Amino acid sequence: MRIAAVGSGDSRCWALPWISSAPTREEIIYILSGQAEQWCGREHRILKAGEMVLIPKNEIHGTYNPFREPVIFLAMLSPVEAEEPGTVNEWDHEPWASLRQSLGLPECR
């Protein structure tokens, strides 16, 4: 389990850690405070404190913070020990690299 924070409260859009998939693990993202724009494949929704999402194995996903307040969340991967690769970075691959921009949303890096 990891605790992560995204953003510093300024007007930029932040992403953490990248657009990725986990071929051998499922992941749960649970929002402790703030809000997150959570993507699973080509769909996204806003998660608020107390909400969570279950990300199936091998699903490309990303967590963004286009809001002014930081977001703090738990990222829980199961099983903890699994075959490698644990995660696969998809950040620079299309359509993921420009998916937000193609929908008129601001760039996040």
Side-chain angles (χ1 to χ4, degrees), residues 36-57:
E37 180 186 292
Q38 182 64 52
W39 286 78
C40 289
R42 293 177 182 261
E43 297 182 19
H44 74 282
R45 70 181 193 124
I46 305 303
L47 297 177
K48 298 179 181 179
E51 296 182 328
M52 60 168 272
V53 63
L54 172 63
I55 303 163
K57 289 179 184 178

Side-chain angles (χ1 to χ4, degrees), residues 10-86:
D10 62 19
S11 60
R12 284 187 57 192
C13 181
W14 298 86
L16 181 82
W18 51 68
I19 299 292
S20 64
S21 62
T24 59
R25 294 177 172 98
E26 293 179 326
E27 185 170 0
I28 293 174
I29 302 284
Y30 178 81
I31 307 300
L32 294 170
S33 66
Q35 301 180 85
E37 180 186 292
Q38 182 64 52
W39 286 78
C40 289
R42 293 177 182 261
E43 297 182 19
H44 74 282
R45 70 181 193 124
I46 305 303
L47 297 177
K48 298 179 181 179
E51 296 182 328
M52 60 168 272
V53 63
L54 172 63
I55 303 163
K57 289 179 184 178
N58 217 30
E59 180 76 55
I60 293 177
H61 61 283
T63 305
Y64 296 92
N65 183 3
F67 307 104
R68 292 191 175 264
E69 73 275 1
V71 60
I72 299 173
F73 63 93
L74 298 175
M76 297 165 272
L77 294 133
S78 180
V80 173
E81 295 182 19
E83 293 181 28
E84 293 299 323

